[in-house]
Amino acid sequence: MDATDKYYSLFNAENEGYCVFEVLLDEEGNPGDLLYLKASPAYERITGFGAVVGKRITAVCPDIKPELIAMYAKVALSGSPARVENYIPAANGWFLSYVMPMQGLQIASILNNITEHKIKAEKQQYLLKLSDALRTIADPVTILETACRLLGEHTGADRVLYGDVTDERSIAICQHFENNVQPVSGVFDVKDFGEEMIGIFKKNGKVIVEDIHNGPACIAKHHAQYTAMGIAAVAYMGLIKDGRWVALFGMNHSSPRKWSQLEISLMEETAERTWAAVERARAQEDLRKSEALLGSVFKILPVGLGCIDTKGRFLLVNEVMQRFIPTGLMPSIDDEREDRWIAYRPDGSIVPREEYPGIRALRGEPVMPHMEMIFVQDDGSRIWTRVASLPLKNEKGEIMGAVVVITDINELKALLQQRDEFIGIAGHELKTPVTSMKAYAEIVQEQLEEIGNTTESALVGRINTQIDKLTTLINHLLDTTRISEGKLQLNISTFDINELLAERIEEMRYTTDHRFEFIPATIPFVRADRERISQVITNLLSNAVKYSPKKSVISLSSESMQDEVQVTVKDRGTGIPSAAQHNVFERFYRVTDAHPGMGLGLYISAQIIKRHGGRIAVQSDVAAGAVFSFTLPSEK
Amino acid sequence: MQKIIVLDDNEDILEAVSLVLKRKPLEVVALRDPGELMNNIPSHEPALLLMDIFLGKDDGRRICRSLKDNPSFDQLSVVLFSAQTYTPESVEASGADAILDKPFSVKTLYKIIDQLAISPGMVK
């Protein structure tokens, strides 16, 4: 083994090949070719050239550039080693060579295959550029155009295309990059690609063809179509997302072309990133559309609409809302505008600021459907509003803010007031003729009784009963208007409600054959308006009589609870369906049409009890009868 | 015979109430115009005045107050009646002896007059 062989053996590693060239000079003494003198097995393996010794490099690599030969020759002539990185098409790879001078025109070259490293670096550089370009684009079509153009420019492919698989039957080729070839934009039937190709795409596979004339059967079958389109080489891939074939991405070339490993890998990466960018852009576009829609709704709504953060600052308000919230702070935390809002409880007391809808929503309590509030305008005039609020929670259930809606109901209030005024006037007007009627009817009845005409006196007695019913109805109508105007006056005194109950039962006994059962408890006096409570008891008793069978038992009881006294009236009647129970206390509500007149009575009773700060409730099982109860504050 | 003055600006009420009262041994003076009241009280010396509260421009409560404040008439019993809404405080402030809501029962009217009229048991 001579010295040079020993030297070579140092480099006889698996992944590093070495070879020895002799520079061949042409007639003019210029370097024209390189002759292989020696080559290690690794050299032959990593280049894929096979046996090279004794061959000229131009024969082994027909594409070799003359500059490279010149560079090798320079090492031999100058005696200075060199390092060179270059792509060798014949080996389909990137190589790093260390070229060292030996004796005479001989040079040694140690060769490393750096294709993988090179691909990685180049890919990274390309992908960085791609990502930078796509990141700022909002329009999906522009994203596709840009991605296709960048891949086309980078690989030199004549055409790059992205097809949106919309419904598994058709592909919309949205945008493509073309380099002097025919455009192919449009909607295509997936069948045009052939069954086999579609099968491959659906399995996330690729179709890589150097020359369609020598390609696999799936593409060779269609060679005429490809040729007609000016396509000689293709590289296609299907993109699968969530198990569904969503897109086709690919490169075409007008002449046969060997697609490099790098190009295929770039196509894959570009396809993935393009799809992600398009999805992001579409999602953002959808978001923008829904925001625009929401914005229009926000703007067009005739109500004040706003969103507040957890500190009660308005983040978003529409124009109507600006009228109510000019400072951008919810009224309950806005000291300057504290006196601009007033709300009353049913008992007439003022609602404190901590109970305003905004602050309640931030505590997690929605104010639905609304709280009626008076808004004092800049000129000092007062308008009625309805304020509703809803807490906004994140997915963990934490409160992130609230939505507040303010409606100007001043016109509605004015109309309601007009209605109440009308009922008030009409009601009072009706009372005058009823007064005369009652006076005459009573006199007639008295006179008939005096002469012993019992049949006719009983008839007139019925007229009197009806006049009394008419009077009750008129009074109910007037009471409702008083309630809605907030003018229901209470004359508070302390009295024994047991005594009042007994009195009312006695009164009722004469008008019906129902049996009454009263279990009074030892209870404190109540603080209430005796007349109004008498009205409530009468109403509950007459309802019990109306809605339960003749001779059935109506039970009353009283009991003491903490600071209150509770009265209960139970009948054995038809009861109230549970669905109807919550609105029996509403104005003009009636359970059945069989018994007219119930609507106003319970509404008024409920309002009277609420004005006292008490509660009224109903419990009922259909067929078991109804149990009405109310509470009143007791004397301290 | 004891006299009662009835003052109401509504002709129908005046007529009906007069009829009711005349069934008892009472002399009824029916007046429609509040302006006539001051002349009629001294001339008739009634035992009781039954007066509507809302009398057009006048207010029965105000008239009652001025009567009660006048030493010449403060012995006169005054009963107010009304079809309109009033506050109990305003009636109390007027010094009226009783208040009757329209429509009312004839029996209630008799009972009030019975209680307030000078000679008990006079009306029955």
Side-chain angles (χ1 to χ4, degrees):
Chain A
M1 190 186 275
D2 65 19
T4 42
D5 282 346
K6 273 187 198 162
Y7 180 59
Y8 295 151
S9 70
L10 288 173
F11 301 97
N12 204 3
E14 269 295 297
N15 297 311
E16 286 180 324
Y18 79 84
C19 65
V20 179
F21 291 116
E22 180 170 329
V23 180
L24 301 179
L25 302 175
D26 59 17
E27 287 114 38
E28 285 148 30
N30 294 320
D33 215 335
L34 299 171
L35 177 72
Y36 283 101
L37 296 182
K38 278 185 179 174
S40 69
Y43 180 91
E44 292 175 342
R45 186 172 41 74
I46 59 179
T47 56
F49 292 163
V52 290
V53 177
K55 291 180 183 166
R56 290 169 175 239
I57 199 161
T58 47
V60 175
C61 310
D63 312 329
I64 194 154
K65 291 176 182 149
E67 303 87 69
L68 197 66
I69 297 175
M71 201 219 86
Y72 274 59
K74 199 180 158 196
V75 173
L77 298 172
S78 67
S80 319
R83 181 182 177 276
V84 63
E85 254 181 42
N86 63 310
Y87 178 71
I88 303 173
N92 191 19
W94 281 86
F95 295 89
L96 171 66
S97 318
Y98 291 99
V99 192
M100 290 154 293
M102 296 180 75
Q103 66 262 49
L105 284 174
Q106 287 186 12
I107 46 170
S109 169
I110 298 159
L111 197 71
N112 273 281
N113 187 338
I114 55 162
T115 310
E116 259 182 55
H117 166 78
K118 200 71 187 169
I119 285 176
K120 218 167 147 186
E122 198 182 321
K123 199 166 140 182
Q124 261 168 2
Q125 204 183 353
Y126 165 78
L127 291 176
L128 205 65
K129 191 174 158 190
L130 180 74
S131 300
D132 277 350
L134 299 188
R135 190 179 305 128
T136 52
I137 307 171
D139 169 41
V141 174
T142 315
I143 288 173
L144 294 174
E145 192 182 68
T146 308
C148 293
R149 180 176 51 78
L150 287 179
L151 185 64
E153 283 171 0
H154 192 83
T155 59
D158 286 337
R159 177 189 286 138
V160 178
L161 53 87
Y162 184 101
D164 228 358
V165 180
T166 43
D167 55 5
E168 301 252 328
R169 282 196 307 276
S170 52
I171 293 183
I173 299 205
C174 304
Q175 199 46 257
H176 57 274
F177 167 77
E178 316 129 29
N179 188 15
N180 298 324
V181 292
Q182 269 182 281
V184 290
S185 293
V187 178
F188 295 83
D189 193 327
V190 287
K191 285 187 203 132
D192 293 351
F193 290 86
E195 292 282 326
E196 297 102 317
M197 290 249 297
I198 301 308
I200 294 168
F201 294 149
K202 283 186 176 171
K203 283 184 192 135
N204 203 13
K206 289 187 275 286
V207 176
I208 312 294
V209 180
E210 221 176 302
D211 181 350
I212 51 148
H213 295 284
N214 298 316
C218 68
I219 205 142
K221 250 196 241 181
H222 303 280
H223 72 86
Q225 281 137 280
Y226 286 100
T227 309
M229 286 192 286
I231 296 169
V234 298
Y236 286 131
M237 62 174 285
L239 203 61
I240 307 292
K241 293 289 162 191
D242 295 330
R244 200 174 70 86
W245 177 33
V246 293
L248 167 74
F249 195 70
M251 298 182 285
N252 298 157
H253 208 67
S254 55
S255 53
R257 170 178 181 145
K258 188 172 166 56
W259 303 102
S260 74
Q261 204 186 320
L262 173 64
E263 285 164 348
I264 301 304
S265 140
L266 289 183
M267 175 177 78
E268 289 172 339
E269 291 282 355
T270 308
E272 285 290 339
R273 280 161 205 238
T274 306
W275 186 81
V278 167
E279 282 299 296
R280 184 223 349 120
R282 282 183 181 155
Q284 282 175 354
E285 198 172 71
D286 286 350
L287 194 65
R288 266 195 305 277
K289 275 184 192 161
S290 79
E291 273 178 1
L293 178 73
L294 208 62
S296 309
V297 171
F298 219 66
K299 210 170 165 188
I300 203 165
L301 272 181
V303 299
L305 192 61
C307 297
I308 49 176
D309 65 10
T310 51
K311 297 212 161 65
R313 292 173 299 215
F314 275 88
L315 303 175
L316 200 61
V317 289
N318 67 357
E319 220 176 287
V320 181
M321 196 65 156
Q322 281 166 10
R323 170 183 165 206
F324 298 114
I325 311 288
T327 57
L329 289 174
M330 68 177 184
S332 51
I333 61 158
D334 189 351
D335 289 331
E336 280 176 31
R337 297 181 63 83
E338 179 185 19
D339 49 0
R340 291 301 190 100
W341 295 88
I342 307 154
Y344 296 100
R345 291 210 179 103
D347 65 3
S349 62
I350 291 199
V351 174
R353 291 167 89 186
E354 310 83 68
E355 295 302 318
Y356 281 10
I359 209 157
R360 270 177 62 186
L362 291 181
R363 284 202 301 259
E365 309 162 20
V367 177
M368 297 280 273
H370 56 251
M371 178 188 281
E372 283 196 353
M373 299 185 85
I374 292 168
F375 174 60
V376 183
Q377 303 190 99
D378 290 341
D379 63 2
S381 61
R382 293 168 168 227
I383 61 162
W384 278 97
T385 65
R386 277 181 182 161
V387 185
S389 65
L390 192 66
L392 285 177
K393 293 178 183 173
N394 65 9
E395 59 279 4
K396 286 185 209 151
E398 296 159 345
I399 293 163
M400 307 305 287
V403 179
V404 179
V405 179
I406 303 181
T407 318
D408 178 348
I409 54 157
N410 215 38
E411 260 181 59
L412 175 68
K413 275 282 178 182
L415 282 171
L416 288 176
Q417 201 180 334
Q418 276 174 29
R419 180 200 64 185
D420 286 339
E421 276 167 14
F422 171 77
I423 295 174
I425 291 165
H428 288 122
E429 287 292 319
L430 282 169
K431 277 186 175 181
T432 303
V434 171
T435 306
S436 308
M437 271 165 68
K438 190 170 166 65
Y440 294 124
E442 284 189 10
I443 290 170
V444 172
Q445 191 183 4
E446 217 177 84
Q447 285 177 345
L448 287 170
E449 272 166 14
E450 277 166 17
I451 59 167
N453 187 340
T454 50
T455 322
E456 274 156 29
S457 102
L459 282 178
V460 180
R462 288 190 184 185
I463 294 178
N464 273 322
T465 309
Q466 295 307 314
I467 292 172
D468 289 345
K469 284 188 178 173
L470 183 58
T471 308
T472 306
L473 284 174
I474 294 169
N475 282 331
H476 277 179
L477 275 174
L478 292 172
D479 278 346
T480 43
T481 66
R482 270 177 218 136
I483 289 161
S484 61
E485 288 170 10
K487 287 179 188 160
L488 191 75
Q489 296 267 342
L490 296 182
N491 287 316
I492 301 293
S493 63
T494 55
F495 61 90
D496 179 2
I497 200 159
N498 283 339
E499 193 187 287
L500 180 62
L501 284 164
E503 191 181 287
R504 289 293 99 207
I505 292 166
E506 277 316 301
E507 191 82 21
M508 197 59 76
R509 245 191 248 285
Y510 294 107
T511 61
T512 176
D513 51 9
H514 281 78
R515 291 194 294 118
F516 291 89
E517 181 185 273
F518 177 34
I519 308 146
T522 309
I523 52 169
F525 279 18
V526 294
R527 279 183 51 77
D529 181 326
R530 199 176 191 277
E531 270 303 305
R532 287 295 182 187
I533 298 307
S534 166
Q535 188 184 344
V536 172
I537 297 166
T538 304
N539 178 246
L540 294 182
L541 287 178
S542 58
N543 278 341
V545 166
K546 261 190 234 172
Y547 294 96
S548 65
K550 283 182 180 179
K551 293 182 180 165
S552 66
V553 178
I554 294 169
S555 317
L556 289 95
S557 64
S558 63
E559 62 182 303
S560 179
M561 301 160 68
Q562 284 194 333
D563 309 334
E564 295 173 320
V565 162
Q566 178 169 291
V567 172
T568 307
V569 178
K570 178 178 167 39
D571 67 44
R572 272 81 173 166
T574 47
I576 297 164
S578 57
Q581 286 175 21
H582 69 281
N583 48 17
V584 291
F585 300 113
E586 279 171 25
R587 194 171 178 174
F588 309 129
Y589 182 80
R590 191 176 293 157
V591 177
T592 68
D593 288 332
H595 304 283
M598 183 173 168
L600 288 179
L602 277 181
Y603 167 72
I604 294 163
S605 297
Q607 295 301 319
I608 290 171
I609 297 300
K610 280 184 195 168
R611 287 276 282 117
H612 281 86
R615 285 164 286 115
I616 188 161
V618 60
Q619 283 177 299
S620 175
D621 290 325
V622 173
V627 183
F628 280 89
S629 60
F630 65 85
T631 63
L632 286 175
S634 58
E635 192 190 22
K636 290 196 179 89
Chain B
M1 199 154 42
Q2 294 276 352
K3 283 186 185 172
I4 283 192
I5 295 181
V6 184
L7 173 61
D8 197 306
D9 60 350
N10 184 295
E11 192 71 54
D12 295 335
I13 295 285
L14 214 50
E15 209 178 309
V17 173
S18 300
L19 186 80
V20 167
L21 294 175
K22 277 177 188 157
R23 287 176 51 74
K24 300 296 166 188
L26 287 166
E27 195 181 320
V28 181
V29 180
L31 300 178
R32 272 194 67 191
D33 182 1
E36 295 169 24
L37 188 63
M38 285 313 181
N39 300 329
N40 280 283
I41 295 175
S43 58
H44 291 288
E45 293 185 345
L48 195 137
L49 168 63
L50 180 59
M51 176 166 58
D52 192 19
I53 289 182
F54 299 95
L55 295 159
K57 278 179 279 177
D58 283 291
D59 188 310
R61 289 167 296 196
R62 200 190 50 74
I63 297 168
C64 176
R65 185 70 262 162
S66 62
L67 289 171
K68 293 288 179 185
D69 288 343
N70 187 333
S72 325
F73 306 122
D74 60 359
Q75 291 307 305
L76 173 65
S77 294
V78 180
V79 176
L80 294 174
F81 65 164
S82 177
Q84 305 282 325
T85 314
Y86 53 84
T87 61
E89 295 82 8
S90 69
V91 172
E92 209 173 307
S94 73
D97 298 276
I99 174 83
L100 201 55
D101 287 332
K102 290 180 190 170
F104 48 83
S105 155
V106 171
K107 287 190 187 72
T108 314
L109 179 62
Y110 289 158
K111 208 158 106 190
I112 287 173
I113 293 169
D114 204 14
Q115 281 168 0
L116 295 175
I118 302 88
S119 29
M122 175 192 67
V123 282
K124 178 78 191 47

